[in-house]
Amino acid sequence: MIEIKGIKKRFGDIEALGGIDASIEDAKVFGLIGTNGAGKSTLLKLLSGIIRPDAGEILVDERSVYENTAVKEEILYISDELYFFMNASPKDMIEFYVNLYPKFDKTFCKKLLSGFGLDENRRISTYSKGMKKQLSVILGLSAGTKYLLCDETFDGLDPVMRQTVKSLFAEAILERGLTPVIASHNLREMEDICDHAGLLHQGGIIFSRDIDDMKLSLHKLQCVFKDDNITDDILKKDGLDIVLHKKTGSIHTFTVRGGRDEIINRISTYNPIFQEIIPLSLEEIFISETEVQGYDIKALVL
Amino acid sequence: MTSKHSFFKLLTEDFRRRLWAFALIIIGFLIAFPLWSFFVTDNIVKYQYRDNVSRYTESQMYIDFAHYYGANNPDFAIGLAAITIFAAATGLLWLYSPKKTDFFHSLPVRREERFSAIFINGLLQITVPYLLCAVLSALIWQGKLGATGLLGLSVILFLKNMCRVILIYGLIGLVIVLTGNAFAGIVMAFIICFEGLLLFWGIASMIELHLYTMEIFSPLYNDYIMKTTPLFAGFAMTYHIYVTGIPVTTLVGMLIIGLISGFVSLLLYRIRPSEKSGKSIVFDAAKHIIYILVTFTIAIDAACFVTALNSDYSAAWEIIMLIVGFVLAHIGVRLFMELDIRSVLKIGIPTIISGSLTLLTLLMFKADPLGLNTYIPDKEDIESMGVYEYMLNQDVSPMLSSYAINAVGSSRAWSLRSDYEPYYLLKNLRLTDIEAPYAIAEEGVRNAAKYPVKPFQYNHYAESDDMLDMISVSYHLKNGRDISRVYYLDREKISDKLSGIYDNPEYKRGMYTVYDIDKEKLSGATICTYAGYFGSASPKIKLSDETIKELYEAYTKEFEELTDEERHRESPVAEIQFMQKALEDFLKEESSIKEQHYMDSFYIYPEMEMYDWYPIYPSFKETIALAEKNGIDIMGAYETEGITKVEISKDYLLENGENEYWQEETAELMLEKMSEEDKKSFMDSLTMCTLDYIAVSFGSLADSESDYIVQIHREGSDREYSFHQSYAFKEGKVPDYVARYFGEKQSDFGKNNTSGYLSEKH
């Protein structure tokens, strides 16, 4: 488990992180979401021990990470700017990682390379951008570390590849309790992969929650009432936790917090002509949640 | 990296990563060593010694090998420096890339381990191929030229060169750790190389201008540069130290500084913030130090620069240039560090500190609140004193004045003396009778109070009334401290004090190395007489071993007793040189160094014949008698008996540009019917010394741009002759008939005479 306690980091006059508290549970895919400059990369660099915080502490399995090689052996960081040695092939990189990460699984790595159609003897500099990203994820997964920190690694990958990676993550989570931490500014792409998401904005985490929990506790309801006088105020007074309400013609669209059955039961008492629960996208969940907290999510992420 | 991932693994990993760089380094060494050796040895066999290779001696081979691969070969030094910089840069330049820095710092490797592995690997990449190629070259030389013993020499040369390699390697490492991008790295390297030099130039110039009695002697200057700017000094020495090469102590110093730089780099790297990659200066504290150092140095240098440029002093210009220099340096440093034009307007604490420091420094020099310029210790605190005055040190012998050798330091090691280097002399000269030196110093202090900046009207000869004389004085205090000062004063006012110092035996014993000779270790003696041919071609007679010791005792005693009045009244009639093995070995070594490095240059190799000639005056009766007892006629050249004719003729330049030294019809002055008195007065007034303040040359009597030939004809012998450079008249003793003749020939007689003596007499 990674615990982030009151982390602050400044770069000259710029405050990158202004006192962050969060925790990342083991064996879950954590999505770190935020706009460019929100502090995602800074946080990942702090988590991987590349840079030192100005204040606060980061504990990885209750141990400090900075200049702690034992902890760093359990963390692999994939930067948004990928780096491979000059003229190196995947084979060379495997040899390099084998020396550094004791649990590196060469066989697994070669199997993945073959599965992804990457030639282990070809020079990496001749790979496309997407292939390089695939290679970095393969190396990261093969390193056998407990934590895999990915900075914008999946941005630009096609949905098939994202699904493949998700299943690989799921496999690793089940087999050895891998905890991937994925930073991105793209909510749509994160939705396929993450179990838990934290929204970072202006150096602080606005909220951090389990995506399934969010999906289970927040619903989009579309309905048409016979009685035109039914308003959201009436429904609220009746105990419905309405986060958002829109009315287009006679169709009401509510975003309501609470259990699905409970919401349907309550709405049914108003004898709607039509009612339907529609699944919420991660984007909609974020819109709802952030608007509740007074932020305009569209300005932040989308 | 866990313990099972050993340091060796890191080393091999880094080596593998930099294999391409290693390949290039090997190619460089292969070209510099085996390939070049093949070329050179082939050249020697085919061209230089094609008839007889065996003539190519082993010692010559040693010299040639050292010439190509020694620490003093500038071409090789630069090539080696380039390889070193390349090796250091390929190892650490990733620190300039944020992408690479993030990658390496995310890995489970301790920083010190990574740095050490890279640092050592880079050194090995130079050391191993260098050593192998050097040995291979030695074998090639030996194999092709048929000699032995070069292997040891190649290893010695390798070790010497490695000292400089480590210095450069360590400094480049330090520069890269301190900076975040290549541009800043280059600027920082420049600062490391030249900051000390520029700072010293500014401070030294301020001292020379305002606290001018505290003049810094050149040996101290060199010493300072070596310590503050070793890399620059190292290369400067490669080109400019002709005498002893790069001393072992300097090489060891380079090695130590290189290792310290490497160690400091390691310490700094441990705390180097990764996020500073790509920035100019990585450490904020270093930014402020660099800012203060550079702005202060440039401001001080700019203030001095205007005076150096004009050779004149202006307080207004000094202050204007100080401000201009400071502002320009401020703009430059701010732009370099921040790469933001707005940063130029940033006036922070470092600006205030540097500005205050600059103004305070100027004030300290201009106002001299500590009274450093007029400092003189109490008489009671002084144990002994030393005085160096150019004219006092010249001993009226043409040879001696040109090529004396002085002892250096307390060890009395030999060193060739440059024109003005009183530093070592003053260290050794300890006059316990301080009355005369102290009086000179007091006069100097009075003048220092009179002139707020260094008087520009001075020279070593004090040849005219409006010129001041420059005198160096050292105070050896009872508390063990040595303090030196340089005074500018009117020689006339202190001439009797200077004479008193010359008459003091302590002065001669401290000044002349002839007194350092252990008479039991004398290896020879030579007398150069003025009989026969005069000048440099004068006959030199070696004395027999039996008489050397006796002669040494007589000469040193008589020279010690020689007074200043006597040496001005008389003129040397011969010169003597005592040889000792230590000096001969020293000169031999010097000569060999020259041969190694300047075979094709016009440098005159030092030979025993050129050094340590001491004058014999007519009053040195015992010395002259001993010489004559051994068959050396010293006074014969000055006898008037047998002189039939004296001719003084103008030397004409022929149309083809060659000199025609002797033509009967060109004789201007023919003194055929000289009376015995005339002959006597002529020979008596003649001197070998042509120093302006002692003698009146023939040239200065008339047309100073022409050469004059003096010929003395004797009965029953070939005529003797000499050129005007070798003959002159003693001060105030120009024979009347000669003066009259030239007076008639030239209406404005004496016009060209700068000494003033003739015009006084006539």
Side-chain angles (χ1 to χ4, degrees), chain B residues 214-282:
Chain B
M214 298 175 70
E215 183 160 322
I216 297 157
F217 298 114
S218 54
L220 293 179
Y221 186 86
N222 293 337
D223 192 40
Y224 176 87
I225 291 171
M226 185 59 235
K227 282 176 183 156
T228 56
T229 50
L231 192 57
F232 169 76
F235 280 101
M237 286 164 81
T238 302
Y239 284 100
H240 298 299
I241 291 213
Y242 301 124
V243 179
T244 53
I246 299 182
V248 174
T249 49
T250 306
L251 290 170
V252 172
M254 286 180 174
L255 178 70
I256 290 169
I257 294 169
L259 292 174
I260 289 172
S261 302
F263 185 66
V264 172
S265 310
L266 170 66
L267 295 180
L268 289 174
Y269 175 65
R270 285 188 71 209
I271 55 166
R272 189 182 199 270
S274 305
E275 63 268 26
K276 292 293 180 115
S277 288
K279 309 280 184 221
S280 54
I281 306 297
V282 168

Side-chain angles (χ1 to χ4, degrees), chain B residues 88-129:
Chain B
T90 51
L92 291 169
L93 270 188
W94 56 271
L95 282 168
Y96 286 167
S97 159
K99 185 166 82 174
K100 292 177 188 173
T101 305
D102 285 353
F103 174 77
F104 283 112
H105 287 178
S106 71
L107 301 173
V109 179
R110 290 178 69 82
R111 284 189 175 207
E112 50 269 41
E113 272 186 293
R114 172 160 295 284
F115 187 88
S116 305
I118 292 170
F119 198 84
I120 290 169
N121 185 35
L123 267 183
L124 287 174
Q125 287 198 348
I126 304 169
T127 312
V128 175

Side-chain angles (χ1 to χ4, degrees), chain B residues 550-589:
Chain B
E550 201 180 352
L551 194 68
Y552 176 78
E553 282 171 355
Y555 180 80
T556 48
K557 181 173 161 289
E558 287 180 320
F559 186 47
E560 193 175 294
E561 289 165 357
L562 178 74
T563 65
D564 195 36
E565 186 275 324
E566 277 170 340
R567 70 173 182 144
H568 277 81
R569 179 162 40 81
E570 297 184 356
S571 185
V573 288
E575 290 158 19
I576 190 164
Q577 181 197 55
F578 293 100
M579 277 171 274
Q580 54 183 316
K581 204 172 174 311
L583 179 57
E584 284 183 285
D585 289 346
F586 167 75
L587 290 174
K588 208 176 284 172
E589 193 185 329

